[in-house]
Amino acid sequence: MPHLTFMAFLQRVVSGGSTVLREYAAGRAAVDLVVTYGQDRFVIELKRAAAGVQGMDKAKENGSRQLANYLDTLDEEEGWLLIFDQRTSST
């Protein structure tokens, strides 16, 4: 559900001349979001941290790796990894 809420938020923010592309095909897999704003392109990978400390570590590790691959594929220098922390404790 947090993914959907974030996408709805972005859609409202970029309305008028911009687009939010969901599950943008990028060669080997699909980037969660690519936002275009004029000539600029913003790559966003969304992850969810599951229960336990390992959940956050795993989300960071997997998300960072995926984002790096997408950036290489799309020939972009920077992107964003957004992790929704749904752990019961943030230790």
Side-chain angles (χ1 to χ4, degrees):
M1 187 64 148
H3 285 69
L4 184 58
T5 303
F6 181 70
M7 287 187 269
F9 166 77
L10 270 183
Q11 193 63 53
R12 297 287 294 177
V13 169
V14 302
S15 64
S18 300
T19 58
V20 177
L21 304 169
R22 294 160 190 86
E23 296 186 6
Y24 184 85
R28 298 178 290 276
V31 176
D32 284 330
L33 297 170
V34 174
V35 178
T36 60
Y37 186 79
Q39 297 296 326
D40 297 320
R41 186 165 56 172
F42 305 93
V43 180
I44 305 169
E45 175 63 22
L46 305 173
K47 287 290 181 197
R48 182 179 70 84
V53 175
Q54 291 91 2
M56 181 60 80
D57 293 340
K58 189 169 187 159
K60 285 179 187 177
E61 181 182 327
N62 291 342
S64 295
R65 187 177 339 104
Q66 281 182 289
L67 182 58
N69 288 336
Y70 298 147
L71 293 172
D72 288 344
T73 301
L74 296 171
D75 197 30
E76 293 291 337
E77 292 184 17
E78 62 182 18
W80 289 265
L81 172 59
L82 180 60
I83 300 175
F84 297 101
D85 188 353
Q86 296 189 309
R87 299 172 296 162
T88 55
S89 174
S90 57
T91 38

